[in-house]
Amino acid sequence: MNSASWQARITCGRETGAGFLVTERHVLTCAHVVARSGTAQVSVSFAREEAALPAKVVAHGGWDGHDTDPGDVAVLELDRSVPLEPAEFAAPSDAYGDPPRRLVAYGFPKRYEEGTLAEYRATADQLIADEWVQLEAWAAHGQPLAPGFSGAAVTLADTGRVVGMVSAAARDAGIRNGRMLPAHVMARYWPRLGELIPTPEYGRVDKERLRELVLARGPEFGGRPECSPERLYSDAVGPFGPPLPGRRFRSLWDAAWYLLSEVPDTGAVARFAARLADFTEDAPTRGALRAWPSRAYDRRPRPSVNPPDRAAAGTQPWSPILVEIAPSGSGEHQFLVEVSAYNGRHRRVVGSRALPADRVRGYALERIDEAYHELEPGARELIAFVLPRRWLNTDVAHWQRSADDDSPLGSFAPLVVMDLERRRSGGLQHKLLQKWQRLDGQSAPRLHRIDCGALGQDPVRLTIGLRRGADMVGFASPPRAEGTRRLFRASLNAAVPVMLWPRSGCRGETRGGAHEDCTGAEFLDRLAAHLADLPPSELPSHIHELRETAYADDGPEPHWANDLALLWEDPRCLPDPVGYLHSPVG
């Protein structure tokens, strides 16, 4: 606590509490500490200031006087500036961690005129009543939170940066918990605080300018139904953005701050400002809102969701349902399963859970079915599985669609798989975008065959060759044998957008180079004939139709495409913003 000079002792009548300096003249504390400020003097003392300074309440969070009332925040203005460095704030997420972060509060309980420290930790990042975080004692001994700690800054023990403010302390010495008002919640009630709290995507100047523009509209402006905070927020995030929080916005600023601090899509704040401009009569202010932010976050080049050949042909773009299955890091057979629905660039997470391997299928199928509620009635669905490399040959297309529908999932909708490692590689995603830009302009995509007799070729040479001269790769055998796996990996590293193979059948083994009876060779012959002149961008739809034919075939031998696997990846159809399961602070 080497920066304790900004810690303050607050007195108001018979009440004593704590506070902390946030600008050269402003101190934050709890509203209940200065509840009698209308009739009693408010005094603020700092360790390096010899005399207490008079102060007045200049902003109030609306606290009504009960322990569970929200808005227990007061901003004090000192009668003069003080030569002290104000507190610095940590990012909102820094208060939480595994293991828990040690937090420190500096308060003034009875018999501690000079103040004392209490060590605590946040129970969880979930807000209680959308307002508070519960605090638990760091150890079974030591100073508990008690009257006199209200208004104290809660700081990270290792950096001294502020993450919140003590708003409630136990009056029973045997109870060792309390409540913290997180810094980002306090900013709802005092807009200027938003400029002091780190938000990685926005600089202080941009936040200050937006605050000035929003507050210039006045409280009555936000009362108009067509530009209510909720309406403007919904317009900004779009139908697939994060839902409204479980409360009403207090003001236009509350909605703007929620977008700044809780919604990762930087374009949403720019859209909020632009929409607010539509209801602004003052021309300079209207122009400033439409020009916000000073850096053009929403003007960065973005990959088109509707490739040029589709737009020209009037073909509807895909509305993917993304199923990402990734190792959770908590054990070899534990996976994180996340299912999302896309609408253009907007992504909504339907469900996310860490599960053992034997529960992945059931959970994924249930969430896929639920994701359909997020699609528009006329949407062109595409089920896309992002899988660890060792799972790419999993028979997801043959999964029973639901408990009461035995038909394969691959017959229900177009279905593709993608490689998890490649999807997370910035370099390979960039190369994929370049490949698709070239594919959009050519009529006949090139299929490179990898027959069983070619499994001994050098993987590095194959990667380089495929980067230069292949749009699709067809394998005669599944990626089970070591030789096939090496060339499969080489093809992924070449950023080939389309890869096809039989999940079963030939194992990639050869006898003296003779392949006349190889089922894989026949598979590739039929595949090449089927793919001739088909645009790669429409391949999921054509393979879906082929699968329907194969699944319905009742011939004596399995249809050649019965076990066909399709890896298809177009980053333009699957932009990668952060998804949303629920209100981030709900």
Side-chain angles (χ1 to χ4, degrees), residues 57-71:
V57 177
V58 294
H60 193 282
W63 179 72
D64 283 340
H66 299 92
D67 289 345
T68 57
D69 285 336

Side-chain angles (χ1 to χ4, degrees), residues 2-334:
N2 54 9
S3 57
S5 60
W6 46 257
Q7 306 278 1
R9 183 175 187 267
I10 314 292
T11 59
C12 180
R14 300 176 61 183
E15 190 76 27
T16 299
F20 52 105
L21 188 72
V22 293
T23 77
E24 60 185 12
R25 287 194 65 179
H26 293 100
V27 173
L28 288 182
T29 188
C30 287
H32 74 259
V33 171
V34 292
R36 293 184 174 86
S37 61
T39 57
Q41 173 68 45
V42 179
S43 297
V44 180
S45 304
F46 297 97
R48 295 185 185 178
E49 291 287 311
E50 294 183 358
L53 301 174
K56 61 181 178 181
V57 177
V58 294
H60 193 282
W63 179 72
D64 283 340
H66 299 92
D67 289 345
T68 57
D69 285 336
D72 191 5
V73 179
V75 182
L76 310 181
E77 185 177 83
L78 305 174
D79 71 342
R80 64 174 174 83
S81 300
V82 292
L84 301 173
E85 286 292 326
E88 293 185 6
F89 287 82
S93 60
D94 287 354
Y96 319 101
D98 186 12
R101 302 291 297 272
R102 184 162 64 97
L103 308 177
V104 177
Y106 189 91
F108 301 88
K110 287 183 179 180
R111 297 185 294 278
Y112 288 94
E113 293 295 316
E114 75 286 0
T116 188
L117 299 174
E119 295 183 326
Y120 274 72
R121 62 184 172 192
T123 304
D125 61 353
Q126 181 175 350
L127 292 182
I128 299 171
D130 202 51
E131 186 85 1
W132 306 282
V133 165
Q134 182 170 310
L135 297 176
E136 295 178 344
W138 182 259
H141 51 81
Q143 173 65 50
L145 291 180
F149 274 92
S150 293
V154 179
T155 64
L156 296 169
D158 54 352
T159 67
R161 292 179 180 267
V162 177
V163 295
M165 179 177 73
V166 176
S167 61
R171 297 186 180 275
D172 185 337
I175 300 176
R176 303 183 62 80
N177 58 25
R179 284 185 176 178
M180 173 180 77
L181 200 60
H184 71 277
V185 173
M186 288 191 285
R188 300 175 191 166
Y189 303 109
W190 191 47
R192 190 171 175 183
L193 187 60
E195 298 155 29
L196 308 178
I197 299 172
T199 47
E201 297 292 344
Y202 308 95
R204 183 167 179 168
V205 172
D206 283 327
K207 290 188 287 185
E208 179 182 7
R209 184 62 178 142
L210 182 61
R211 171 179 63 83
E212 292 172 349
L213 292 169
V214 170
L215 296 183
R217 301 304 85 228
E220 72 286 348
F221 185 82
R224 292 170 55 180
E226 70 272 23
C227 63
S228 70
E230 289 77 16
R231 178 67 178 272
L232 289 173
Y233 173 86
S234 297
D235 288 349
V237 300
F240 278 68
L244 288 162
R247 60 180 178 85
R248 290 187 62 82
F249 290 122
R250 301 177 69 252
S251 61
L252 286 171
W253 166 253
D254 190 3
W257 173 244
Y258 190 87
L259 287 164
L260 285 166
S261 60
E262 305 286 357
V263 177
D265 179 9
T266 55
V269 194
R271 290 190 292 271
F272 177 89
R275 184 65 175 138
L276 187 57
D278 293 340
F279 301 98
T280 303
E281 295 180 1
D282 180 68
T285 303
R286 184 169 62 247
L289 280 166
R290 286 177 174 155
W292 190 93
S294 59
R295 291 175 293 162
Y297 295 106
D298 208 35
R299 301 186 187 98
R300 291 176 295 180
R302 296 180 185 267
S304 169
V305 174
N306 200 19
D309 61 332
R310 276 193 209 165
T315 307
Q316 186 179 0
W318 297 109
S319 293
I321 294 173
L322 187 70
V323 185
E324 186 170 79
I325 301 173
S328 68
S330 58
E332 183 180 357
H333 301 293
Q334 297 290 321

Side-chain angles (χ1 to χ4, degrees), residues 338-369:
E338 186 170 273
V339 179
S340 312
Y342 278 85
N343 182 10
R345 281 182 11 226
H346 296 287
R347 175 183 173 190
R348 172 72 184 274
V349 175
V350 177
S352 180
R353 184 172 297 177
L355 296 166
D358 59 355
R359 294 180 56 195
V360 166
R361 179 191 296 202
Y363 179 80
L365 289 170
E366 289 176 2
R367 298 291 82 76
I368 290 170
D369 194 62

Side-chain angles (χ1 to χ4, degrees), residues 536-549:
S537 61
E538 294 302 303
L539 216 51
S541 180
H542 291 292
I543 295 300
H544 174 234
E545 294 173 2
L546 180 59
R547 282 175 173 151
E548 286 183 312
T549 300

